[in-house]
Amino acid sequence: MNGSSGYDPSVYPGGTWIQMTPSNALNVCYYGTVNTNLSVWKISNPLFETVPVFAAQLCIAMFMIRLFFYIFNFIRQPRFFAEIITACLVGPVFTRSAFFIGYIHKWNSHEVLETMANLGLVYYMFLVGLEIDLNMVRRVGKKALCNAVAGILFSMTMGAGLYFLFTHDISIFPSANPLGGLFWGVALTVTSFPDLAQVLSDINLISTDLGQIALSSAFVNDLASWTILIITMTMLTGYNKLSILPTVGFVMLCWFVVRPILSKIKTSLNKSSGRDFQVNIILAGVLICGLITDACGSHSVTGAFVFGIVIQNMELERRFIEQVNDFVIGIMLPAFYLVAGGKIDIAFMMSQTNVVMLLVIIVLACSAKVLSSFLVCKAFGISARDGIALGVLMNTKGLLALIVIGVGRDVQALDNVTYPAIVIVFVVMTAFGKPFPYWASKSSKHLKQYKHRTIETSKEDSEFRVIMCVHESRHLSGLSTLLKLSNSTKLSPISTIVLHLVELTGRSSAMLIVHDTYKSSYLNQPIFERVLSDHIRSHSFGSNTGSRESHPISIQPVTIVSPYAAMHREICSVAQDEHVTIILVPFHKEGGGNEEQENSSIRIVNQNLLAKAPCSVGIFVDRGLHLNIRDKGIDLGKPLINVVMLFTGGPDDREALAYAWRMAGSSDVLLTVLRFQSGEEAKSIMEEAEGSGNDKQIDEKYVNEFRFKSMCNDRVTYLEKVVNNGDDIMRTIKEMFDYCDLYMLGRGQGVESPFTLGLSEWSDCKDLGVLGEALSTSEFARNASILVIQQHYVADS
């Protein structure tokens, strides 16, 4: 190397010469040796080999990301903050330290590192496409759509303007590329959907109106950003403007040809015993599609992204998706942060930049989406504080933002000054992503405790607000029939939030998706397109009583994606915000007899709700309630449901009686209330129990009120039986009711009753209570559905 044309060259360990030219470019020369001895123990330095060097680089990156994430987690910063800080620190250290250049970050190791980084991006894009539901575009509300469009327009304009303002000095930027403004604009447009969902989940805003608008807007922003990025990469890497046509043809081929073919062969793939074959085909398909789009003049990530969208409807194993996601994000993407960090030289950028100008750029860049969200919120009558908080949330950045500016750096649209400058903007945006929205959430979330969180304490003319939890499509039929029998009237209409509970897979955060609201007496349209399987196309979901005062049921479908262990938090948050009276959940056991199957995940959700729900909770054991609607009355075509309410006393039983009392207003229901009175043996036990007298007086008063107000209803029957223990109760029920469609009773939580004697020793499932479990396992009630209710405890009641 001749040093006369520039600065004197520097020699580093490992046989590397580096020379800095007057134009700040690097001339690097190195030589490689081939070791023919296969014995590891005779190699003088393993770090001179390619694989050990890459392993060392990857380990350092993974360790630093985890370390910074652990540190910054105390100040509630997201994972991306730790990743981008790692990139900012790794760049100067790896590119300026003689030790790292000589042993860890050698110049001849860049090719392997960038190859693995690009491979990680390809599979990451595949996962992004796999998780994007294009049907969500139709469900985006007007507020979210306006906010997303305004954010895109403001960000693109602001990004381009700031780039030209930043590079206006010709002495510092003699050859500034005008395309840099496009990449700055796209980078500011990006709102990372997964990272935003994580932020909203951490600060308990994911179920609020503010969180729903932010998530829907982020989805539109991400989709627009991917589209603009793909088109830009295709135009820049192709030979001419028509080079985008082969890419468009590939996309059309995948959508109209490959997708239908995959949908037809997915059944045979699922039936095949070798699941590894399916996994290998999918992973190979990602690389093939990336190769095709690269040959078409686009980028390989385009093909991976399209392939992910194409196969997203295939029934892939959740374990496979989780494992691929963990491997890509946890192991492969750290290589990308090393590559991105190698392009960040903050010290050189600060030496070429006016500090005041940089601060102006940061403030204006952060204010683009804040201003657009503020104006949109003011137009829709949303408070100014919420508008600013929404704008700060829309500034949430993620890996896509780094990918955008990384592509700009590769095509030389961004240089050594403009690239680090926009990275600094990302750091500031990410740092404010949680603190300000958390402070502003006090005006967004209704934190006041509401009093009427039980059916017993609710007013007769108040709206009956219900949450119905659905894990699978088969849960809809029985719960919807139960809802239809709940007597929606004009005086007390029913407002239902149907929560589709989906286990979190392939994501790092919980999310909530709000669908369109339905309000009809006969809702013959799908509630959840992703909940209902292909064999269920529609479901009658509304009030179908014969009463003249019947009123349509308002239904708001919502999808919650969360881990089962934390799913109750999202449900409780929705219940708190919407002032819900009762949460209806399916029982974790299905079927009967020897065919009974238990779902431990559903049981975890139910147990957490019973312990922490802000309102009453009803666990529904469905034994085909929807199948038992048949002609039993004198009038043909008039369905009747036999409902038996078992009353032993206590708050939970009063809550169950209140619900049965509401059902009695429906012309479809024949209600029988069976109250068990204490015999001589039971009285002696109850006298020893402290505090039982107060509950007994409340029970007596409430039952008498029920009898008085329902005495003119010929569809209501009140009976009393004297019993001493649980065996007497089960014997009485068996003798009196040879057939019943629905049993209703309280869970009996916290109540010591002599009626449970003889039954508690056989109880191994506390979810239904002692009596509820005995009833669910009894032979005579094997075909009857059961609703067990736990009343929420109100301190001032």
Side-chain angles (χ1 to χ4, degrees):
M1 180 185 302
N2 189 358
S4 61
S5 61
Y7 301 100
D8 295 334
S10 301
V11 181
Y12 291 90
T16 302
W17 288 268
I18 301 177
Q19 181 188 36
M20 179 72 72
T21 65
S23 60
N24 294 324
L26 291 178
N27 291 328
V28 181
C29 299
Y30 58 88
Y31 65 90
T33 59
V34 179
N35 195 331
T36 58
N37 194 332
L38 301 180
S39 175
V40 175
W41 304 108
K42 293 184 179 181
I43 297 178
S44 59
N45 191 345
L47 293 179
F48 289 161
E49 301 300 316
T50 302
V51 175
V53 169
F54 172 72
Q57 294 169 344
L58 199 59
C59 290
I60 292 175
M62 293 170 60
F63 173 77
M64 293 184 65
I65 290 175
R66 295 304 304 176
L67 177 62
F68 285 128
F69 178 70
Y70 176 78
I71 296 174
F72 293 123
N73 189 42
F74 290 101
I75 56 176
R76 310 188 71 174
Q77 290 297 332
R79 178 184 174 88
F80 178 70
F81 189 79
E83 293 168 341
I84 196 171
I85 291 296
T86 300
C88 292
L89 294 180
V90 161
V93 172
F94 274 24
T95 57
R96 291 180 179 270
S97 172
F99 172 79
F100 282 99
I101 292 178
Y103 295 98
I104 304 298
H105 200 63
K106 299 191 301 181
W107 298 102
N108 57 348
S109 67
H110 284 192
E111 184 176 356
V112 176
L113 187 62
E114 291 187 358
T115 301
M116 296 303 298
N118 291 328
L119 187 61
L121 285 184
V122 168
Y123 279 108
Y124 176 78
M125 286 289 291
F126 163 70
L127 293 175
V128 170
L130 196 64
E131 295 175 352
I132 286 183
D133 182 11
L134 297 180
N135 293 324
M136 284 182 60
V137 178
R138 298 180 299 173
R139 309 188 193 111
V140 175
K142 185 178 180 181
K143 297 177 183 179
L145 183 61
C146 292
N147 183 60
V149 174
I152 293 172
L153 296 177
F154 274 65
S155 298
M156 290 292 294
T157 305
M158 184 70 74
L162 291 179
Y163 176 80
F164 290 110
L165 176 65
F166 189 68
T167 59
H168 74 283
D169 193 344
I170 302 178
S171 60
I172 302 177
F173 303 95
S175 59
N177 193 335
L179 287 175
L182 174 63
F183 285 96
W184 269 35
V186 177
L188 293 183
T189 301
V190 171
T191 299
S192 177
F193 184 87
D195 293 276
L196 176 60
Q198 179 66 58
V199 171
L200 292 173
S201 179
D202 292 343
I203 60 180
N204 297 323
L205 287 181
I206 196 169
S207 59
T208 62
D209 293 337
L210 181 67
Q212 295 167 16
I213 295 174
L215 281 177
S216 299
S217 302
F219 174 78
V220 177
N221 273 2
D222 266 10
L223 199 60
S225 301
W226 281 122
T227 304
I228 296 174
L229 179 62
I230 290 174
I231 294 176
T232 303
M233 288 189 301
T234 305
M235 298 291 291
L236 293 178
T237 57
Y239 295 102
N240 51 56
K241 295 182 179 180
L242 296 179
S243 61
I244 195 174
L245 295 181
T247 304
V248 174
F250 170 77
V251 174
M252 302 294 288
L253 179 67
C254 289
W255 186 259
F256 293 104
V257 178
V258 178
R259 189 171 66 97
I261 294 176
L262 290 178
S263 63
K264 291 182 180 180
I265 66 174
K266 69 178 182 180
T267 304
S268 60
L269 287 176
N270 291 332
K271 291 181 179 179
S272 62
S273 57
R275 304 297 295 179
D276 293 340
F277 175 75
Q278 181 180 357
V279 173
N280 295 335
I281 289 295
I282 293 174
L283 296 179
V286 175
L287 299 179
I288 293 174
C289 291
L291 176 63
I292 293 175
T293 52
D294 190 81
C296 291
S298 181
H299 199 283
S300 56
V301 297
T302 305
F305 178 73
V306 173
F307 187 69
I309 295 179
V310 166
I311 71 166
Q312 64 178 254
N313 293 325
M314 291 187 64
E315 298 177 1
L316 303 178
E317 285 187 356
R318 293 179 178 178
R319 185 177 59 182
F320 158 70
I321 298 177
E322 291 177 350
Q323 290 175 348
V324 173
N325 183 80
D326 293 339
F327 178 78
V328 172
I329 296 179
I331 297 180
M332 299 189 70
L333 284 185
F336 171 77
Y337 293 112
L338 281 182
V339 174
K343 304 173 185 176
I344 301 175
D345 193 343
I346 298 179
F348 177 75
M349 184 267 297
M350 295 298 295
S351 65
Q352 302 293 320
T353 306
N354 189 322
V355 178
V356 177
M357 175 63 68
L358 181 61
L359 292 177
V360 171
I361 296 296
I362 293 175
V363 172
L364 292 179
C366 295
S367 64
K369 287 197 174 182
V370 174
L371 180 61
S372 64
S373 298
F374 175 80
L375 295 177
V376 171
C377 289
K378 293 297 290 184
F380 284 97
I382 303 176
S383 66
R385 178 182 288 186
D386 288 350
I388 297 175
L390 178 61
V392 175
L393 288 172
M394 296 306 295
N395 277 332
T396 303
K397 300 301 178 184
L399 182 61
L400 176 57
L402 283 181
I403 295 176
V404 171
I405 62 174
V407 173
R409 186 70 172 82
D410 293 338
V411 299
Q412 299 181 353
L414 302 177
D415 55 23
N416 294 336
V417 179
T418 55
Y419 182 85
I422 194 65
V423 172
I424 297 298
V425 173
F426 294 162
V427 173
V428 176
M429 288 181 173
T430 307
F432 285 93
K434 279 188 180 181
F436 185 84
Y438 180 75
W439 169 76
S441 64
K442 296 179 181 179
S443 66
S444 305
K445 219 177 171 185
H446 307 287
L447 299 179
K448 294 182 179 180
Q449 299 291 329
Y450 57 98
K451 294 182 179 180
H452 303 295
R453 287 178 287 182
T454 66
I455 307 175
E456 180 186 357
T457 59
S458 298
K459 298 180 180 180
E460 295 182 358
D461 58 348
S462 62
E463 186 180 34
F464 186 51
R465 304 185 68 83
V466 183
I467 282 182
M468 192 174 76
C469 297
V470 176
H471 293 267
E472 299 179 12
S473 59
R474 60 175 177 270
H475 296 153
L476 274 171
S477 298
L479 286 172
S480 61
T481 303
L482 183 64
L483 186 66
K484 185 174 64 174
L485 299 174
S486 299
N487 191 28
S488 178
T489 63
K490 293 183 179 179
L491 187 64
S492 179
I494 297 178
S495 177
T496 306
I497 302 175
V498 186
L499 299 183
H500 176 205
L501 306 180
V502 181
E503 183 184 9
L504 176 66
T505 57
R507 294 183 183 269
S508 59
S509 58
M511 60 175 292
L512 182 143
I513 305 170
V514 180
H515 308 264
D516 296 332
T517 301
Y518 303 113
K519 190 171 184 179
S520 175
S521 296
Y522 298 93
L523 296 178
N524 295 319
Q525 47 188 313
I527 303 298
F528 295 106
E529 294 163 337
R530 300 191 68 179
V531 179
L532 298 180
S533 55
D534 295 337
H535 66 279
I536 298 181
R537 295 295 182 184
S538 63
H539 190 79
S540 179
F541 208 30
S543 178
N544 190 25
T545 63
S547 174
R548 295 180 180 179
E549 298 182 355
S550 62
H551 192 267
I553 299 176
S554 176
I555 300 174
Q556 175 65 71
V558 177
T559 300
I560 290 180
V561 184
S562 174
Y564 280 121
M567 194 171 285
H568 67 282
R569 300 176 187 172
E570 309 302 332
I571 301 174
C572 293
S573 180
V574 174
Q576 182 76 29
D577 295 335
E578 301 297 334
H579 293 189
V580 169
T581 304
I582 188 171
I583 301 174
L584 299 177
V585 296
F587 190 46
H588 67 275
K589 294 182 180 179
E590 298 179 358
N594 297 329
E595 298 180 357
E596 191 175 59
Q597 298 179 353
E598 179 176 344
N599 190 322
S600 59
S601 300
I602 297 179
R603 184 176 188 181
I604 292 175
V605 177
N606 293 351
Q607 290 177 341
N608 290 332
L609 285 177
L610 290 172
K612 301 179 181 179
C615 59
S616 298
V617 178
I619 299 181
F620 181 61
V621 182
D622 186 13
R623 301 282 177 77
L625 180 62
H626 59 289
L627 299 177
N628 293 330
I629 302 179
R630 58 182 182 276
D631 299 335
K632 298 179 183 179
I634 300 176
D635 299 332
L636 294 177
K638 183 173 180 136
L640 295 176
I641 298 292
N642 281 327
V643 179
V644 176
M645 194 276 144
L646 306 176
F647 190 91
T648 59
D652 293 350
D653 278 23
R654 292 197 302 271
E655 188 75 357
L657 178 58
Y659 200 167
W661 191 350
R662 181 181 181 91
M663 285 186 175
S666 173
S667 59
D668 295 333
V669 174
L670 291 177
L671 175 62
T672 301
V673 177
L674 178 58
R675 184 183 183 185
F676 296 101
Q677 296 284 14
S678 303
E680 295 298 330
E681 298 180 5
K683 287 182 180 180
S684 61
I685 299 177
M686 292 185 65
E687 290 177 355
E688 298 177 357
E690 297 180 359
S692 60
N694 187 28
D695 283 338
K696 187 175 181 181
Q697 292 177 2
I698 299 175
D699 293 342
E700 194 70 30
K701 180 180 178 180
Y702 194 74
V703 171
N704 290 335
E705 182 182 359
F706 163 75
R707 295 180 63 185
F708 177 76
K709 292 186 177 181
S710 61
M711 59 187 303
C712 297
N713 191 340
D714 57 355
R715 295 188 304 275
V716 177
T717 303
Y718 177 80
L719 302 173
E720 290 186 355
K721 288 294 180 180
V722 178
V723 294
N724 290 305
N725 50 48
D727 294 334
D728 292 346
I729 290 178
M730 298 302 295
R731 190 181 308 109
T732 302
I733 298 174
K734 181 179 180 181
E735 293 174 354
M736 294 186 61
F737 305 103
D738 57 344
Y739 180 82
C740 175
D741 292 307
L742 176 64
Y743 286 104
M744 298 182 64
L745 66 156
R747 182 170 178 246
Q749 178 69 9
V751 177
E752 296 182 2
S753 173
F755 298 138
T756 59
L757 293 179
L759 300 177
S760 58
E761 59 186 14
W762 301 100
S763 177
D764 60 352
C765 178
K766 305 298 183 182
D767 299 358
L768 299 179
V770 177
L771 183 58
E773 183 186 1
L775 195 63
S776 65
T777 56
S778 61
E779 185 67 23
F780 66 88
R782 62 182 304 177
N783 295 322
S785 298
I786 303 171
L787 178 63
V788 178
I789 298 178
Q790 174 184 282
Q791 184 183 67
H792 180 266
Y793 174 74
V794 183
D796 57 353
S797 63

